[in-house]
Amino acid sequence: MKFTRILGAAALSFGAVFSGAAFAADINGAGASFPAPVYQAWAAAYKEKTGTGLNYQSIGSGGGQNQIVNRTVDFGASDAPMKDDKLEAATLLQFPTVIGSVVAIVNLDGIEGLVLDGAVLADIYQGKITKWNDAKIEALNKGKKLPDLAIVPVYRSDSSGTSFVFTSYLAATSEDWKSNVGAATSVQWPTGAGAKGNEGIAGTVKNTKGAIGYVEFIYAAANKLATTDLVNKAGKVVKPETKAFVEAAAAADWKGAKNFAASMINTPGEGAWPITSATYILLPKNPTNAAQSAEAIKFFDWAFGAEGDAIAEKLHYIALPDSVVEEVRKAWASEVKADGKAVWTN
């Protein structure tokens, strides 16, 4: 399977990923910021190879779901799987593209390898832990001199699949969070400051002493932000690195997942990173423009190949297992039709 490889360090700079924003808008997509770096990098390589452009708007998962339901783009993108009844009502096919991981980022001077767990993160984001030298944080960081500094939690102000992944982890590790706040693309955050997009959280944390936030890993790496270690389900302290992401991805139950919505949150495994998730594309099953729908499918079919995998790996995303890619291709061929005819053949 593809994700058993240990992935290389990011070789494409974050600036390069976003520098070509004005692609020829042959295909239009919008949604999650979590996969935006890889979608933009794929777009640049695909245009050079085929001449077909992609305009992808990183507006958040909620925005992506709304735009595809309203058919204002060729595809929507969401980290939060759309509910089965909504997929059916909107006549949409949902499929995964890559697997990524959410990390906690902090702005603390002189502290390396800070360790947190889900319960402590939940208490921070509920305003129950307000200082970095709180006894609960000190208990996880014996030997570290933690500052008497106010914690500034930063959360997504927009409807966000990254928030869905992060709050799903908090709900899985804190009964208090599960009961009082829950898991969703948009929740009532008890405390903190809002920022738009993964980009916004990364920027706010970078510029605010004592801040903590959550982003897809590439945003932390690209902005050279300090990440925390986490205590996983096995009770082991794990660092946010590729081998931990791969171990978490390997535990996904794809065969038992309807509409490809396999959970990787807080999976078992001594080395597994606990906040890992696939990200999804939403494509009309009944496209009004068959040619445009076919172009979108061709783009993702290419992205699932060796060149697309290599780009994803350089950006610290994990390629889907070959068996899942094959099932996605079967779904394209059997479920996306215009006037009763398949728009793409496998």
Side-chain angles (χ1 to χ4, degrees):
M1 292 187 290
K2 291 177 185 173
F3 59 64
T4 57
R5 298 190 299 261
I6 297 301
L7 314 184
L12 295 179
S13 73
F14 198 68
V17 168
F18 288 99
S19 62
F23 301 130
D26 296 346
I27 306 167
N28 289 293
S33 59
F34 179 107
V38 71
Y39 291 173
Q40 298 284 15
W42 279 346
Y46 190 71
K47 181 169 177 65
E48 184 176 349
K49 187 178 184 69
T50 68
T52 299
L54 166 67
N55 174 35
Y56 182 73
Q57 303 170 57
S58 175
I59 60 172
S61 294
Q65 290 191 14
N66 289 336
Q67 288 212 15
I68 193 58
V69 166
N70 294 325
R71 299 302 198 263
T72 56
V73 289
D74 299 316
F75 68 85
S78 177
D79 305 323
M82 187 178 273
K83 292 183 178 179
D84 295 342
D85 59 338
K86 291 186 176 180
L87 286 170
E88 185 175 354
T91 321
L92 294 172
L93 173 66
Q94 174 176 274
F95 62 89
T97 52
V98 290
I99 298 164
S101 292
V102 174
V103 299
I105 54 175
V106 294
N107 187 335
L108 292 173
D109 292 333
I111 305 294
E112 293 186 8
L114 184 74
V115 179
L116 299 175
D117 62 18
V120 165
L121 277 169
D123 281 354
I124 288 172
Y125 273 90
Q126 288 185 96
K128 295 180 178 182
I129 294 177
T130 60
K131 291 288 188 73
W132 281 111
N133 62 349
D134 184 275
K136 289 184 178 179
I137 302 178
E138 287 187 330
L140 293 169
N141 293 274
K142 297 186 186 303
K144 295 186 178 74
K145 185 170 177 56
L146 301 176
D148 182 18
L149 178 67
I151 301 174
V152 183
V154 184
Y155 59 83
R156 287 284 290 273
S157 59
D158 51 331
S159 180
S160 156
T162 307
S163 287
F164 172 79
V165 173
F166 183 67
T167 57
S168 293
Y169 169 66
L170 298 185
T173 53
S174 167
E175 283 297 327
D176 195 26
W177 183 275
K178 183 178 179 180
S179 299
N180 295 320
V181 184
T185 56
S186 182
V187 299
Q188 291 296 317
W189 296 94
T191 190
K196 188 175 181 180
N198 274 273
E199 307 92 332
I201 285 189
T204 301
V205 171
K206 189 173 186 176
N207 293 314
T208 307
K209 290 296 180 188
I212 183 170
Y214 56 93
V215 294
E216 206 285 328
F217 180 71
I218 185 59
Y219 291 86
N223 288 281
K224 296 181 172 56
L225 295 171
T227 56
T228 75
D229 298 347
L230 288 177
V231 179
N232 66 12
K233 190 172 186 177
K236 304 295 184 180
V237 175
V238 288
K239 294 185 178 299
E241 54 191 5
T242 299
K243 65 180 182 180
F245 306 157
V246 168
E247 185 167 338
D253 179 16
W254 292 104
K255 289 184 179 179
K258 189 176 180 180
N259 293 313
F260 296 103
S263 175
M264 296 164 224
I265 297 295
N266 211 32
T267 56
E270 290 200 355
W273 184 254
I275 324 180
T276 300
S277 177
T279 189
Y280 300 90
I281 292 299
L282 302 167
L283 192 69
K285 292 183 178 181
N286 58 346
T288 54
N289 187 327
Q292 199 71 1
S293 182
E295 287 299 327
I297 291 173
K298 286 178 186 176
F299 171 78
F300 288 108
D301 184 52
W302 168 87
F304 286 149
E307 190 174 353
D309 282 353
I311 291 169
E313 290 168 5
K314 289 173 183 176
L315 293 169
H316 297 287
Y317 295 92
I318 301 164
L320 298 174
D322 291 333
S323 59
V324 176
V325 170
E326 186 56 33
E327 290 303 313
V328 169
R329 287 179 169 137
K330 287 178 182 178
W332 292 338
S334 64
E335 298 189 42
V336 183
K337 298 179 180 180
D339 298 324
K341 296 180 180 179
V343 304
W344 184 87
T345 55
N346 190 359

